[in-house]
Amino acid sequence: MRLRRTLLGLSQEKLGEMIGLTFQQVQKYERGANRVSCSRLFDLSRSLDVPVSYFFDDMPLDVSNLSPVQMAREPPTEEPAAAAADPRLRRETLELVRNYYSITDPDVRRRIYDLAKALSNRTGDDG
């Protein structure tokens, strides 16, 4: 939810207004402090202009196997591995991507892409 909201350039307050919530409630959803009901998930998908399935696309198999229905069929034999920190979900990354795509000149955008690629290859060789 935070990923899509940030990519659209929406604040928590603006998203809250769109679905009739306070920004604090949106914040709790994004942190996972509150569960998101089916109807609220539907509202979020419409406000963020994505299908409901968007919220489940990158769900790791070990998490999907922990659904109540799946656990009733086959209880897990071990604890799921902790999810590694995903740099794609960092605010810095989301803002970088949004700002990159807001560059209207394709030549400038390409030069920035080439610069980032060259710098990442250079720093990768140093380590």
Side-chain angles (χ1 to χ4, degrees), residues 10 14 25-26 38 48 59 74 100 105 109 113 117:
L10 296 173
K14 180 64 179 166
Q25 290 169 304
V26 171
C38 294
L48 297 172
M59 183 184 295
E74 186 177 320
Y100 173 80
D105 185 330
R109 197 169 49 238
Y113 171 83
K117 189 173 178 181

Side-chain angles (χ1 to χ4, degrees), residues 1-126:
M1 185 170 103
R2 182 179 62 196
L3 172 69
R4 181 66 179 164
R5 176 184 61 76
T6 305
L7 284 174
L8 291 175
L10 296 173
S11 66
Q12 290 176 335
E13 186 175 6
K14 180 64 179 166
L15 179 58
E17 288 172 11
M18 294 170 74
I19 59 176
L21 297 175
T22 64
F23 82 90
Q24 291 97 333
Q25 290 169 304
V26 171
Q27 201 171 51
K28 287 179 181 180
Y29 285 149
E30 288 185 355
R31 283 193 325 236
N34 286 358
R35 288 184 159 198
V36 180
S37 69
C38 294
S39 59
R40 185 67 69 202
L41 195 60
F42 179 76
D43 292 341
L44 286 165
S45 72
R46 293 183 75 187
S47 297
L48 297 172
D49 196 29
V50 292
V52 172
S53 62
Y54 168 85
F55 299 106
F56 303 98
D57 285 345
D58 292 330
M59 183 184 295
L61 185 59
D62 60 340
V63 173
S64 65
N65 286 340
L66 293 176
S67 75
V69 171
Q70 186 62 33
M71 287 179 70
R73 290 184 190 144
E74 186 177 320
T77 56
E78 57 188 48
E79 289 294 315
D86 188 348
R88 296 175 302 167
L89 301 179
R90 292 184 188 149
R91 179 171 207 81
E92 176 185 28
T93 304
L94 301 175
E95 289 177 0
L96 179 66
V97 170
R98 187 175 75 231
N99 290 329
Y100 173 80
Y101 283 109
S102 70
I103 299 169
T104 56
D105 185 330
D107 293 328
V108 171
R109 197 169 49 238
R110 181 62 191 192
R111 282 185 269 154
I112 290 173
Y113 171 83
D114 290 340
L115 174 64
K117 189 173 178 181
L119 288 172
S120 69
N121 288 340
R122 183 172 161 227
T123 57
D125 293 340
D126 292 341

